[in-house]
Amino acid sequence: PAKMRAKPDPRFSKSERERHRGEKITLRATLCGSGKVTDIIVTDGLTAAMDAAAIEAARLIQFTPAEKDGKKISRPVTLKYFVKD
């Protein structure tokens, strides 16, 4: 599997965090062998602004790609972002 090195938190506004505390946004994405996060889609969202913030955070994930037979490969993943203080 790919190894996450950094998974930044989304930048939600204070009012969004207060209104949706304890809820989550779920995304599907591909961690590419090239080291980029692509094909990001919201599978369970909250508001358009919060979903966009989660997508932007997902694009900033740093990871070591998965390997198979010594070659870097792409893997689909589910990403969850919880709304917290």
Side-chain angles (χ1 to χ4, degrees), residues 3-12 24-29 31 37 40 53-64 77-84:
K3 295 188 187 203
M4 297 275 188
R5 295 191 320 251
K7 183 183 174 198
D9 288 328
R11 293 181 175 241
F12 301 135
K24 72 177 187 273
I25 295 172
T26 305
L27 308 176
R28 289 283 298 160
L31 301 181
V37 182
I40 304 168
I55 290 169
E56 184 59 32
R59 285 192 179 112
L60 299 175
I61 289 174
Q62 295 176 10
F63 65 96
T64 301
V77 293
T78 299
L79 302 168
K80 295 183 183 192
Y81 291 98
F82 294 89
V83 181
K84 53 191 176 193

Side-chain angles (χ1 to χ4, degrees), residues 32-77:
C32 292
S34 66
K36 296 188 180 206
V37 182
T38 64
D39 305 324
I40 304 168
I41 60 165
V42 177
T43 58
D44 187 23
L46 294 173
T47 68
M50 293 177 80
D51 294 351
I55 290 169
E56 184 59 32
R59 285 192 179 112
L60 299 175
I61 289 174
Q62 295 176 10
F63 65 96
T64 301
E67 290 190 20
K68 184 175 182 179
D69 299 326
K71 294 182 180 180
K72 294 178 182 180
I73 59 170
S74 299
R75 302 293 282 195
V77 293

